[in-house]
Amino acid sequence: MMRLFDEAFARDPYPVLAALREQAAVHPVETPNGLRTWLVVRYADARELLTDPRLSKDMTVGHRFLAENFADPVKRAAFLTESGTRRQFPAELSRHMLDSDPPDHTRLRRLVGRVFTARAVAALRPRIEQLVTELLDGASSSGEPVVDLMAAFAFPLPFTVICWLLGVPPADQAKFRTWSNLLVSGTGGDDVLDASEAMVDYLRALIDGKRTGAADDLLADLVRVSDGGDQLTGDELIAMAFLLLVAGHETTVNLIGNGTLALLTHPGQRALLEAEPERWPAAVEEFLRFDGPVSNATWRFTTEEVTVGGTVIPPNEFVTICLGAAGRDPDRYEKPDILDITRDRAGGLAFGHGIHHCLGAPLARLEAEVALRALFDRFPRLRLATPAEDLPWRLSLMMRGLSELPVRLR
């Protein structure tokens, strides 16, 4: 049983994933919190399994056999002890469309889709452009020779946007960020439990305020939305707000950070964008493939026996589809370890595939394109202040992102 996801793996997972991909299509591995899962590392298998109905995402069911899938007996015992008193993860945060199957998923996505439309996303562009200008003004006027671009730009941009959508007051945003980081870390532990419970309590109060007020934001619209008399329940609203937070904030933070690093370490591609700025949308797509913000898709489990590349996965076992490995598969992409904004990236899996394809993908793409284009236009001498190999990466099972990105603007 392999143990991945340590600091060395976080710095550069791709050589390890390439070796795994050559050996077999799927591998049993242990997650940081001690769970056994099957890691799928080839593009063709990943794309197929993302739509395979034999892999369920209904964690109200999957939670029932979590204990039997712990690789670490000590952590299994701790889980069993805690399961009777304090849950590993509140059910209120799991009742969203990403952790559900049809017909529940169909119903939830239909309701949310009535509010989170392409037109609504496009309408945000002027506000996003203004926010980008303000953040870059702040970074430029700080007077500091070195700026942490994650703290000054990559984080506050998408986080402010998602707080607009949810109606989170500025005074609450710091604790919101802390909870979010813990909940996507995949490390388990009391601090994660504390964060999850605090998040539930906060979102419940936030939603209750939307019912009686005249708020004009996406969360208020979700409270009011109906379809043939059908509405989201209280717990569904909490889970949906949590999903929007993670999908609408965490992914975009990392997309901006990883995209910036990609261009700072590939001067030829940067020069091409300077000469041909119309390529920016294509560049964002290449950043998603080359070093995407979501390394692994969220949990799935087998409802019956599933064979992947000749390996039989029994029922009631967890499967982790490695989007990072799929994006570097040489059977799908020529010279996949080379950043090339001119390549054909059709069929990219960075935002998933099938019925669970990320509903917020257009917003993430919009924010990244506006942010990165403005950043490199504003600071043509932008460069790393630390060697790329020394940059610190976040420890997370699901996310792929830097914790700091020190740069010199001039």
Side-chain angles (χ1 to χ4, degrees):
M1 180 74 64
M2 287 180 291
R3 293 189 178 186
L4 304 178
F5 317 116
D6 57 10
E7 290 186 7
F9 184 80
R11 280 194 300 273
D12 186 8
Y14 299 109
V16 175
L17 292 174
L20 292 177
R21 196 169 47 235
E22 290 180 6
Q23 294 167 16
V26 61
H27 299 265
V29 300
E30 181 180 340
T31 69
N33 62 356
L35 277 172
R36 181 183 67 250
T37 184
W38 293 88
L39 190 70
V40 178
V41 291
R42 293 177 181 168
Y43 175 91
D45 298 304
R47 184 177 173 88
E48 181 178 348
L49 291 173
L50 285 168
T51 60
D52 193 324
R54 296 173 299 172
L55 269 61
S56 173
K57 298 191 96 278
D58 186 353
M59 289 308 295
T60 60
V61 175
H63 189 271
R64 300 172 193 168
F65 46 85
L66 272 173
E68 65 193 65
N69 281 282
F70 270 88
D72 186 325
V74 174
K75 292 180 178 179
R76 181 191 299 120
F79 171 81
L80 290 170
T81 300
E82 292 171 354
S83 63
T85 54
R86 196 176 186 204
R87 290 169 298 181
Q88 288 277 313
F89 199 70
E92 293 93 334
L93 297 184
S94 298
R95 291 173 179 158
H96 52 69
M97 56 192 180
L98 196 57
D99 279 352
S100 63
D101 298 329
D104 289 339
H105 171 271
T106 308
R107 168 184 165 268
L108 291 170
R109 188 154 182 132
R110 183 180 67 249
L111 284 166
V112 176
R114 291 176 66 89
V115 173
F116 203 71
T117 63
R119 178 177 295 180
V121 169
L124 289 170
R125 179 181 278 270
R127 292 185 71 186
I128 292 171
E129 290 174 341
Q130 179 60 35
L131 178 58
V132 165
T133 298
E134 293 171 0
L135 291 171
L136 293 180
D137 285 347
S140 180
S141 63
S142 68
E144 297 294 331
V146 175
V147 174
D148 177 7
L149 209 63
M150 299 305 292
F153 187 58
F155 158 65
L157 171 61
F159 191 69
T160 301
V161 172
I162 202 62
C163 285
W164 289 345
L165 296 178
L166 296 180
V168 176
D172 293 340
Q173 292 180 10
K175 61 184 178 184
F176 217 53
R177 163 67 169 173
T178 299
W179 297 335
S180 177
N181 276 346
L182 286 166
L183 290 171
V184 300
S185 68
T187 58
D190 286 343
D191 53 350
V192 176
L193 292 171
D194 290 340
S196 64
E197 292 172 355
M199 179 74 83
V200 168
D201 291 342
Y202 181 84
L203 290 175
R204 193 184 304 281
L206 187 67
I207 288 164
D208 286 344
K210 307 292 183 185
R211 297 186 190 281
T212 56
D216 182 20
D217 53 58
L218 178 67
L219 186 55
D221 289 342
L222 287 173
V223 170
R224 294 187 289 259
V225 72
S226 65
D227 183 46
D230 184 20
Q231 289 185 293
L232 296 169
T233 68
D235 283 353
E236 287 170 346
L237 283 164
I238 290 172
M240 193 58 63
F242 171 65
L243 177 60
L244 289 170
L245 169 67
V246 174
H249 150 235
E250 289 286 351
T251 54
T252 314
V253 170
N254 298 333
L255 176 54
I256 293 171
N258 296 1
T260 300
L261 178 61
L263 285 182
L264 292 179
T265 53
H266 293 80
Q269 297 295 290
R270 181 178 179 177
L272 180 57
L273 280 170
E274 290 174 356
E276 302 177 23
E278 67 275 10
R279 291 187 182 273
W280 270 109
V284 170
E285 297 304 311
E286 176 67 349
F287 302 149
L288 287 165
R289 180 206 67 83
F290 179 76
D291 199 12
V294 181
S295 50
N296 294 305
T298 51
W299 291 111
R300 286 166 167 78
F301 63 90
T302 52
T303 58
E304 59 184 87
E305 187 177 280
V306 176
T307 301
V308 182
T311 298
V312 177
I313 304 176
N316 298 341
E317 299 210 359
F318 290 97
V319 175
T320 299
I321 299 172
C322 187
L323 304 178
R328 297 283 190 106
D329 190 339
D331 286 342
R332 172 61 187 86
Y333 300 104
E334 184 178 358
K335 299 180 180 178
D337 294 323
I338 294 177
L339 184 76
D340 179 5
I341 64 174
T342 69
R343 76 165 69 242
D344 174 19
R345 290 164 305 277
L349 302 180
F351 287 115
H353 177 58
I355 64 171
H356 289 289
H357 181 270
C358 180
L359 193 65
L363 178 59
R365 288 184 167 104
L366 171 62
E367 290 181 77
E369 180 190 342
V370 171
L372 291 169
R373 183 169 184 168
L375 174 67
F376 283 90
D377 283 351
R378 177 78 173 266
F379 303 111
R381 296 183 60 195
L382 184 72
R383 60 200 185 278
L384 289 174
T386 300
E389 59 270 20
D390 294 336
L391 293 171
W393 292 84
R394 293 170 56 186
L395 288 176
S396 174
L397 174 65
M398 185 170 67
M399 297 297 178
R400 166 85 178 145
L402 293 156
S403 53
E404 297 176 10
L405 182 53
V407 298
R408 297 185 185 275
L409 302 179
R410 300 177 179 84

